[in-house]
Amino acid sequence: MKIPAFKLEEFWKKYEFIAPYLLCCSDAETWTLQELLKLADPDSKKLWNSLALGYTESPGHPLLREEIAQLYTSVKADDVITFAGAEEGIYCTMRVLLEPGDHVIVIAPCYPSLATLPEVCGGEVSTIQLKPENQWHLDVDAVKTAFRSNTKLLILNYPHNPTGALLEKRALEQLIELARNHGAYIFCDEVYRYLEVDAAKRLPSIADAYERGIALNVMTKSFGLAGLRIGWIATREANFLQEVGSYKLYTSICNSAPSEILAIMALRAKEQILQRSRDICLHNLKILDACMTRHQKRLSWIRPQSGTMAVVKLELPIPIDTFAKGLVRTTGILIMPGSVFDLPGNYFRIGFGKKNMPDILEKFEAYLQQVTYLM
Ligand SMILES: Cc1ncc(COP(=O)(O)O)c(C=O)c1O
């Protein structure tokens, strides 16, 4: 099967480096190299200064895997394999796990490759739609009904892109029970973990909570270090891990050497790094709250519970794709229309993880007002 266009990444390819005001980013505020080096502990500084630019160990630098393992309660360094960003982890996992005829349950809307790759691999895909009338909550009973005797994999993404929804801990336990009864894997994309609005609602990682759980995370989003292209999979499923490690030899082979050391540095300073991301998101969320109140007749939303973004509904009688095109052409402000996620209705994604969000939002509000007056 030919691989379909990756709509979301095509959208970024087209606009990211030409639109001056990005109001739909999913990654938290980016760190500069100098800022990160200032956070470095003496040992990682030494690693940086003596860095050789050769090949690196395919599963990832042993110290990097050790730092990653510390993010989990039941995971050891040997239970971790690193990848070039989260996307390589998704790609390799789907290729390794799925064979034609395997049944896969996917939640929509979602980061597109979580839905397209299972199909590309020949999976029979059942899609469970998140609905605004249910506050974007996952209907666990619908997942239960979708399970079949040949269900191999349930794919989750919490905190969720694009809605910012979270799963209740009880719901996760129910899903694990369902998967366990069917001998199925759960792959959970956890790339926005640590950015829950209420930290008490943070879910346990699927790698800790379920023996057949495969957890995906990355330096890109909550850590604000997209340019490192360091992601990872953590799982206690040793056979799968070995196979996915072998698959990586056909994709990136190994990580970029400088990125590995910078990721070690960042993970050792994770409290400061994550705190900065959380502070920016919470600050911006309050500003967004006020904006939503000011524009009640033009915009509506289900307030996100986590992550760096929310889905907003444009309540004006203009199709969202037309509005978004007009917005970027007239003002340079980029929002992400729901069509990028195949989300029906007049929805768009807004991001609130960047420091410049309040300034862009002000410009966005001015445009919104102007468009309303012209109607
Ligand atoms: C849910 C989710 N998973 C994976 C990715 C891919 O992350 P990366 O750019 O680190 O490969 C993204 C990026 O937007 C995402 O939102």
Side-chain angles (χ1 to χ4, degrees):
M1 182 183 178
K2 231 178 149 195
I3 206 154
F6 198 145
K7 276 196 196 168
L8 183 144
E9 298 301 343
E10 294 286 353
F11 176 87
W12 279 123
K13 194 167 97 182
K14 180 166 176 191
Y15 289 113
E16 185 169 6
F17 297 98
I18 54 166
Y21 305 118
L22 305 178
L23 191 55
C24 51
C25 293
S26 59
D27 51 331
E29 182 71 13
T30 302
W31 290 79
T32 65
L33 177 62
Q34 288 313 315
E35 284 171 338
L36 182 56
L37 289 173
K38 275 192 201 140
L39 296 182
D41 64 291
D43 180 52
S44 48
K45 211 171 228 168
K46 224 192 243 169
L47 291 171
W48 181 246
N49 288 332
S50 58
L51 178 66
L53 295 173
Y55 278 111
T56 62
E57 291 188 39
S58 181
H61 194 298
L63 292 177
L64 175 58
R65 293 162 79 210
E66 256 171 46
E67 290 302 329
I68 292 169
Q70 284 180 33
L71 299 169
Y72 304 88
T73 55
S74 321
V75 165
K76 301 180 300 303
D78 283 348
D79 302 328
V80 173
I81 288 194
T82 56
F83 289 96
E87 183 49 32
E88 191 191 20
I90 297 174
Y91 184 80
C92 292
T93 297
M94 298 307 150
R95 282 290 184 201
V96 163
L97 272 192
L98 298 178
E99 286 174 48
D102 284 338
H103 180 240
V104 184
I105 302 173
V106 172
I107 315 298
C110 65
Y111 183 65
S113 61
L114 295 174
T116 52
L117 287 175
E119 276 187 8
V120 168
C121 296
E124 291 171 17
V125 176
S126 296
T127 303
I128 311 291
Q129 197 73 37
L130 301 177
K131 297 182 182 147
E133 58 268 31
N134 293 341
Q135 314 289 298
W136 305 119
H137 283 318
L138 179 63
D139 179 351
V140 175
D141 285 337
V143 180
K144 189 174 178 183
T145 309
F147 260 97
R148 297 184 199 161
S149 56
N150 66 334
T151 301
K152 178 105 177 251
L153 175 65
L154 166 64
I155 300 179
L156 300 175
N157 162 221
Y158 285 102
H160 185 250
N161 175 7
T163 64
L166 256 186
L167 198 63
E168 306 235 322
K169 287 179 188 165
R170 176 77 195 112
L172 181 66
E173 283 162 12
Q174 289 172 316
L175 294 174
I176 289 172
E177 212 37 51
L178 280 171
R180 189 175 278 129
N181 291 340
H182 288 81
Y185 295 93
I186 298 182
F187 177 82
C188 191
D189 180 329
E190 302 174 353
V191 302
Y192 301 99
R193 196 153 188 259
Y194 310 111
L195 296 182
E196 298 76 9
V197 172
D198 175 359
K201 295 203 170 144
R202 182 172 307 146
L203 290 170
S205 169
I206 202 69
D208 293 322
Y210 182 36
E211 62 282 2
R212 304 199 95 182
I214 300 166
L216 176 78
N217 214 327
V218 76
M219 300 308 294
T220 305
K221 308 293 184 184
S222 312
F223 293 90
L225 290 161
L228 296 189
R229 310 308 297 136
I230 295 282
W232 62 88
I233 272 175
T235 180
R236 291 177 278 151
E237 264 287 336
N239 288 342
F240 161 74
L241 202 69
Q242 209 208 329
E243 278 187 59
V244 86
S246 294
Y247 202 93
K248 181 185 171 181
L249 300 176
Y250 276 106
T251 51
S252 61
I253 301 177
C254 67
N255 301 317
S256 140
S259 291
E260 287 198 319
I261 305 305
L262 295 171
I264 293 170
M265 221 175 252
L267 286 168
R268 287 180 179 171
K270 58 182 175 286
E271 298 309 332
Q272 278 156 285
I273 290 196
L274 291 171
Q275 196 55 50
R276 190 184 87 171
S277 300
R278 275 193 289 264
D279 288 346
I280 294 171
C281 288
L282 290 180
H283 172 77
N284 287 348
L285 199 48
K286 280 191 196 133
I287 290 170
L288 261 179
D289 278 331
C291 163
M292 297 304 294
T293 308
R294 270 194 299 278
H295 297 279
Q296 270 173 18
K297 295 213 171 102
R298 302 173 181 126
L299 304 172
S300 65
W301 71 343
I302 289 143
R303 193 179 194 264
Q305 297 172 286
S306 57
T308 54
M309 62 201 132
V311 166
V312 174
K313 185 172 184 195
L314 179 71
E315 298 285 0
L316 302 177
I318 314 173
I320 190 60
D321 288 293
T322 312
F323 176 85
K325 268 194 191 129
L327 176 70
V328 73
R329 279 197 196 128
T330 315
T331 65
I333 298 172
L334 191 70
I335 55 170
M336 187 175 281
S339 52
V340 169
F341 291 92
D342 293 324
L343 179 63
N346 231 22
Y347 296 100
F348 64 96
R349 181 175 99 177
I350 195 162
F352 53 85
K354 300 284 188 191
K355 266 195 207 151
N356 64 358
M357 196 241 32
D359 293 340
I360 304 177
L361 194 66
E362 215 178 293
K363 293 186 191 19
F364 172 80
E365 287 190 65
Y367 179 81
L368 192 62
Q369 219 146 14
Q370 200 185 350
V371 168
T372 317
Y373 291 144
L374 291 175
M375 284 175 73

